[in-house]
Amino acid sequence: MLSVAVVGSGPSGVYTAQALLRQSLVPDVRVHVLDRLPTPYGLVRYGVAPDHEKIKSLQNGLRAVLENDRVTFVGNVGVGGPDGVSPARLAELYHAVVYCVGASADRRLAVPGEGLPGSYSATRFVSWYSAHPDAGADPFVLDARSAVVIGVGNVAVDVARILARGADELRATDVPSAALGALEESRVRDVHIVGRRGPSQARFTTKELRELGALPGARVVVDPAELALDPAYAAPEGLPGAPPAVVRRNLEVLRGWSAAGEPAAGGAGRRIRLRFFLRPVELLERDGRVAGVRFARTAPDAGGGVRDTGAYEDIAARLVLRAVGYRGVELPGLPFDAVRGTVPHAAGRVLRDGVPVPGAYVAGWIKRGPTGVIGSNRSCAKETVASLLADAAELRGRAAADDPLAVLRKWGLRPVEWSGWLSIERAEAELGRSLGRGPVKIPDWPGLLGAARDGER
């Protein structure tokens, strides 16, 4: 038997397990999918917006893999942290370990005032309304009238949409009760989504963009002058230099909103303002917390980037969320490229000083950086698994534990297996029923672990 551990139960980890199951070169492979959390699915559970039911339904496909007889889910087992297992010790238990730990750190703006109360990473906000057990009861300033979201990707659009959506529309989702109550009391009426470059260089998809215009009780506002400043705005379709199809579709949507102009007084209750060519230079302070953001006005330059124009604009806001990207985090015991935020590798084989580390592999964002969509992890996982299978004869010569879970328990860990996860699911369904809703996520560690233990008794 070839014993493989996959660290991380999000899409990259589960697609790695799936690729191992579907190959025929090593039919006797057995896979343990480890996760620090007692729940599976990674960012599909804790990163996809609650109102994106179609994307969240990807859990069904991930579930089918984790329920396979040759796969064992091992939750509540951290790797590399102070309370977890070091990569060196984990390597004693399995013939091979594939690290699919994602990119969990947020990029920072590196501007004065970024650390003021009222300034948060968008990921922290997402974790809060997604009931991630590490999020806790964050004191988001939802009594603010105006919020600024810095960044023009899908995460920025997601958090802006949640801020602009009425709580009644989220009641049918799995948003935890505390977050739903806070959103219900929210006074935010203006949400500014701001990018330092033009709309043609924004990273959101057209589908996500259009969803902003479909929100009841909200109106999207786009400044025609900022739209016209983008060189792609007037580029003729089909000629050299014309923008790609996705950019043309985005510009078409934005053009429609810009033509509509400002909503009339007393109209839509909330406004989502898409702003471009504004670079954040400082978060402004009043009474010890964020009061707004100072932006430098930019303009397109000849090289396809932007340049500062010397003009500035302040946007008042008591809530600022940054959504400017992610970075991988070093896992103690594994090589790490601090510049790229990834683990050095060759086709998924972990490299230390250019030499493969026996039995160690990577897949997903920690391998290639935070790029692509969920489906991009399939091909990434397949490449890594192909490397692992090519090494199978050598891997079989490595020592491995007959019962890794027994060893983990001996080391003082308390793994949550699939039965424990099913118990959490049942508890969340019951919680939802008690509130007159569908399943509602349990938002804290004691609640999750308590529900898991109930199913293991």
Side-chain angles (χ1 to χ4, degrees), residues 103-390:
S104 58
D106 293 277
R107 293 187 183 275
R108 298 186 64 83
L109 300 172
V111 300
E114 186 172 9
L116 285 168
S119 167
Y120 308 92
S121 71
T123 301
R124 185 171 167 185
F125 187 62
V126 170
S127 294
W128 172 71
Y129 66 63
S130 298
H132 194 293
D134 290 342
D138 267 315
F140 292 106
V141 192
L142 297 180
D143 61 343
R145 301 287 297 183
S146 176
V148 168
V149 181
I150 300 174
V152 282
N154 283 346
V155 173
V157 171
D158 277 349
V159 299
R161 193 179 64 253
I162 295 299
L163 284 170
R165 204 182 260 291
D168 284 343
E169 300 166 54
L170 295 171
R171 204 172 303 281
T173 72
D174 58 6
V175 170
S177 296
L180 187 65
L183 290 167
E184 194 165 27
E185 298 296 322
S186 169
R187 299 178 60 202
V188 173
R189 290 297 176 266
D190 280 289
V191 182
H192 306 260
I193 306 175
V194 188
R196 67 183 179 88
R197 299 193 292 181
S200 66
Q201 294 166 311
R203 297 295 185 91
F204 37 63
T205 59
T206 307
K207 179 179 181 296
E208 291 260 2
L209 187 61
R210 284 176 175 152
E211 287 178 349
L212 293 177
L215 296 176
R219 175 78 174 271
V220 183
V221 181
V222 176
D223 185 341
E226 291 178 353
L227 193 58
L229 191 61
D230 194 309
Y233 181 73
E237 184 176 346
L239 294 181
V246 64
V247 172
R248 292 198 306 272
R249 290 193 295 268
N250 286 348
L251 290 173
E252 180 182 350
V253 174
L254 294 169
R255 185 181 289 112
W257 288 332
S258 71
E262 284 278 347
R270 291 184 173 92
R271 290 171 295 275
I272 302 171
R273 300 181 181 275
L274 281 160
R275 303 295 310 276
F276 301 99
F277 297 110
L278 292 172
R279 180 177 64 84
V281 294
E282 181 183 2
L283 271 63
L284 306 175
E285 179 265 339
R286 186 177 66 244
D287 300 329
R289 63 179 315 110
V290 165
V293 185
R294 176 158 294 159
F295 292 94
R297 167 64 67 182
T298 64
D301 66 15
V306 293
R307 57 178 175 80
D308 285 356
T309 64
Y312 294 87
E313 179 178 338
D314 293 351
I315 298 178
R318 285 172 51 80
L319 174 62
V320 177
L321 301 173
R322 71 173 185 274
V324 291
Y326 303 94
R327 277 186 57 81
V329 176
E330 182 175 5
L331 202 63
L334 284 185
F336 188 69
D337 183 335
V339 175
R340 295 173 56 86
T342 57
V343 171
H345 72 94
R349 295 180 179 90
V350 173
L351 300 178
R352 189 187 302 278
D353 298 326
V355 179
V357 177
Y361 302 84
V362 285
W365 279 2
I366 198 64
K367 170 187 173 183
R368 68 182 191 276
T371 61
V373 295
I374 290 176
S376 307
N377 291 296
R378 288 185 184 274
S379 57
C380 178
K382 287 179 180 178
E383 179 190 56
T384 295
V385 167
S387 295
L388 189 155
L389 295 174

